[in-house]
Amino acid sequence: MRELLIPFATGLTIFLFGLQLIRLGLETMAGRHLQSVLLRFTKTPFRSFVTGIVATGFLQSSSAVTVLTIGFVNAGLMNFTQTVGLILGTNIGTTVTTEILALKIEDFALPMIISGAVIWLLPWKRFTWIGVVIGGFGCIFLGMNVMQWLAVPLKEQGWMTWLLSRGDAVQTGLTAGFFMTAIIQSSSATIAMAMGFFASGLISLPFAVAVVLGSNVGTCITGLLAVIGANRAAKQVAVAHLLLNVGGVLLFAPFISPFADWVASLSAHPATQVAHAQTLFNIICSLIMLPFTDVYARFITRLIPSRDI
């Protein structure tokens, strides 16, 4: 058991620490500009959509943008209808992290950590936070590399064979992706593990794709926790986010195997295939829903009663 827990805990800690460094560095450099952009460029569904993509790609976290949006709605600075396009955009923006993770991590981890530390120590303070961001990316690459060490003991001890024998691979992958993301509060970390396991031959591509889809639902838990005690409009945002992601998974779940065959034809690199699966899934689902944002907003408004839920 120690062979599993040590690399898992170590790799996950380094990975999440790297994400926090990136977020801290970028948020510090952006200052108050990010909040003003979110409030200013969400007047129409399309502008909200584009803003969600840019903001999430910048912060490297769809959950952070969602929680920030919930705070604005709860404070009365933004109405619920404005947020639907924003939510669709965050689903696409979060794929930036995954596509970056698909790079060859062993070539970038330590050089980026060292470069980030050197930049941090330079006397020119304007570059300090750039060093933090670079070091953060190095940490997520290193953490992902460490988590790949899990593949050997999992294979040797038969844990994955036991898990995959419990039922349908797609259902198991969806469940694993959901619970893993809900527990660690990071879909990027969950997908990083799926990338590593698939690259090691521990799981199949359809199973990895199912984990990706499950993680999309699991990431909604952060928003649901953020609206505890909030007003009705804020709760509408969290429920809208949840139902959009659940709907996308239900739409794609019956077609995971042919979808996996399609993404496999786009790249020969295993990690890139998993990254492309998430990117295509989120782009397709978001573009399907974008023309119906107003209709969807009215549906959520009727679904959530006037009184607090």
Side-chain angles (χ1 to χ4, degrees):
M1 185 62 69
R2 186 166 56 184
E3 296 88 347
L4 296 175
L5 292 179
I6 291 177
F8 173 73
T10 304
L12 182 61
T13 300
I14 296 172
F15 188 96
L16 295 178
F17 177 68
L19 286 180
Q20 289 299 321
L21 286 180
I22 294 170
R23 197 173 306 158
L24 176 63
L26 292 174
E27 284 180 343
T28 303
M29 287 190 290
R32 296 179 178 272
H33 297 298
L34 182 62
Q35 295 187 16
S36 63
V37 165
L38 286 176
L39 293 173
R40 181 178 178 184
F41 296 101
T42 54
K43 302 302 182 184
T44 66
F46 182 74
R47 289 173 68 180
S48 296
F49 176 65
V50 174
T51 301
I53 295 174
V54 174
T56 305
F58 188 78
L59 283 184
Q60 298 291 300
S61 173
S62 60
S63 296
V65 177
T66 302
V67 170
L68 193 60
T69 303
I70 287 171
F72 288 154
V73 173
N74 192 53
L77 299 175
M78 184 185 294
N79 63 56
F80 165 66
T81 304
Q82 289 176 268
T83 68
V84 178
L86 197 63
I87 292 170
L88 294 174
T90 63
N91 283 349
I92 295 180
T94 195
T95 63
V96 173
T97 308
T98 310
E99 292 291 348
I100 292 174
L101 292 177
L103 300 172
K104 295 183 67 177
I105 57 176
E106 63 273 13
D107 294 341
F108 293 97
L110 290 179
M112 292 186 79
I113 293 174
I114 294 171
S115 299
V118 170
I119 295 172
W120 168 263
L121 294 173
L122 291 175
W124 303 295
K125 294 303 179 184
R126 69 176 63 182
F127 298 111
T128 295
W129 294 107
I130 296 177
V132 171
V133 173
I134 293 173
F137 275 112
C139 286
I140 66 172
F141 291 150
L142 179 61
M144 183 176 173
N145 201 13
V146 172
M147 286 189 290
Q148 282 187 325
W149 299 349
L150 282 169
V152 174
L154 282 172
K155 185 180 294 185
E156 291 178 348
Q157 297 180 21
W159 285 99
M160 288 304 299
T161 303
W162 176 84
L163 178 63
L164 293 173
S165 67
R166 296 300 92 186
D168 180 71
V170 170
Q171 294 178 1
T172 305
L174 288 171
T175 304
F178 170 77
F179 281 108
M180 188 67 187
T181 304
I183 291 169
I184 66 178
Q185 296 289 289
S186 174
S187 60
S188 296
T190 301
I191 295 171
M193 280 186 275
M195 283 179 171
F197 290 166
F198 175 54
S200 302
L202 195 61
I203 60 176
S204 65
L205 183 55
F207 186 90
V209 172
V211 170
V212 169
L213 268 60
S215 72
N216 264 37
V217 179
T219 196
C220 298
I221 299 300
T222 307
L224 293 174
L225 293 174
V227 298
I228 295 175
N231 62 24
R232 180 177 63 89
K235 291 174 181 177
Q236 289 173 341
V237 177
V239 172
H241 187 207
L242 175 65
L243 293 185
L244 279 172
N245 286 9
V246 170
V249 170
L250 291 177
L251 178 67
F252 266 75
F255 310 104
I256 283 182
S257 292
F259 180 61
D261 292 337
W262 178 36
V263 297
S265 68
L266 301 177
S267 173
H269 192 261
T272 304
Q273 293 173 5
V274 179
H276 287 351
Q278 189 206 19
T279 300
L280 290 169
F281 166 71
N282 284 334
I283 288 176
I284 292 170
C285 291
S286 295
L287 291 181
I288 288 174
M289 281 300 302
L290 185 59
F292 307 103
T293 52
D294 290 337
V295 176
Y296 184 67
R298 289 196 295 271
F299 166 73
I300 295 296
T301 302
R302 292 176 182 174
L303 182 66
I304 307 299
S306 309
R307 60 187 182 279
D308 286 341
I309 59 173

